[in-house]
């Protein structure tokens, strides 16, 4: 399980040192891909296989929606491997998509992690905190 938020920095080559707690989780392989809200998702290969199976079970693959979902999801995936120091290289196309320059935040989201531009993340959190607080008071399940 991926948890926590980690403010980190990309180096000049677009490399990111993964949080130490995540390195064992991705040791058997991982992908990064376009996420929603202009971030990058990091997924284990096992999670990619689960998503593929779930997609196949959900709907016929010959519909416009299913083809679009598969293209947008699987088409932007890039297999990455951490080096000896735990760094992954984020391709320029994904850095551009997510607006990543130097300062980033890596956020654990249960079965995946997300890589955000730090300013974009701070704005997102500020915008969503009131919504989240209202959800808590409306009886939404919590982890507390």
């Amino acid at each position: 399980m991926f948890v926590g938020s980690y403010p980190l920095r990309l180096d000049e080559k677009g490399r990111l040192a993964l949080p130490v707690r995540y390195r064992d989780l991705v040791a058997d392989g991982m992908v990064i891909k376009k996420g929603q809200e202009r971030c990058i998702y990091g997924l284990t290969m096992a999670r990619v296989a689960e998503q593929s199976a779930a997609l196949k079970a959900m709907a016929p693959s010959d519909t416009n929606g299913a083809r679009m979902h598969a293209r947008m999801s699987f088409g932007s995936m890039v297999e990455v491997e951490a080096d000896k120091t735990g760094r992954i290289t984020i391709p320029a196309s994904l850095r551009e998509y997510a607006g990543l320059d130097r300062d980033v935040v890596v956020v654990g989201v249960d079965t995946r992690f997300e890589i955000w531009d730090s300013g974009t993340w701070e704005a997102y959190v500020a915008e969503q905190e009131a919504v989240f607080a209202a959800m808590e008071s409306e009886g939404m399940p919590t982890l507390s």
Side-chain angles (χ1 to χ4, degrees):
M1 178 182 311
F2 296 99
V3 298
S5 296
Y6 304 88
L8 300 168
R9 283 203 159 161
L10 293 176
D11 71 10
E12 63 282 347
K13 295 180 181 177
R15 294 179 299 196
L16 174 70
L18 291 174
V20 173
R21 294 175 184 242
Y22 293 4
R23 294 177 192 176
D24 284 343
L25 296 172
V26 300
D28 291 332
M30 66 172 286
V31 299
I32 54 177
K33 68 177 206 137
K34 290 180 179 178
Q36 294 166 310
E37 289 95 17
R38 292 279 178 185
C39 69
I40 296 171
Y41 289 172
L43 304 159
T44 64
M45 293 305 286
R47 182 65 180 148
V48 172
E50 289 170 10
Q51 284 188 338
S52 177
L55 187 61
K56 288 175 188 168
M58 254 180 17
S61 61
D62 62 346
T63 66
N64 285 339
R67 287 191 303 272
M68 180 275 303
H69 184 273
R71 289 174 186 138
M72 295 303 291
S73 185
F74 294 98
S76 72
M77 287 183 184
V78 177
E79 285 189 61
V80 293
E81 187 175 321
D83 66 15
K84 293 175 186 173
T85 61
R87 295 177 304 186
I88 59 169
T89 300
I90 301 173
S93 60
L94 288 177
R95 291 195 314 267
E96 183 178 323
Y97 167 80
L100 304 182
D101 185 30
R102 184 113 172 110
D103 294 322
V104 302
V105 179
V106 176
V107 181
V109 188
D110 192 15
T111 59
R112 69 173 184 268
F113 64 88
E114 298 175 349
I115 305 167
W116 289 75
D117 167 74
S118 63
T120 304
W121 173 248
E122 289 170 14
Y124 177 82
V125 169
E127 182 181 300
Q128 298 301 321
E129 281 184 333
V131 175
F132 182 69
M135 290 172 64
E136 297 274 325
S137 66
E138 292 174 1
M140 291 288 290
T142 66
L143 298 176
S144 57

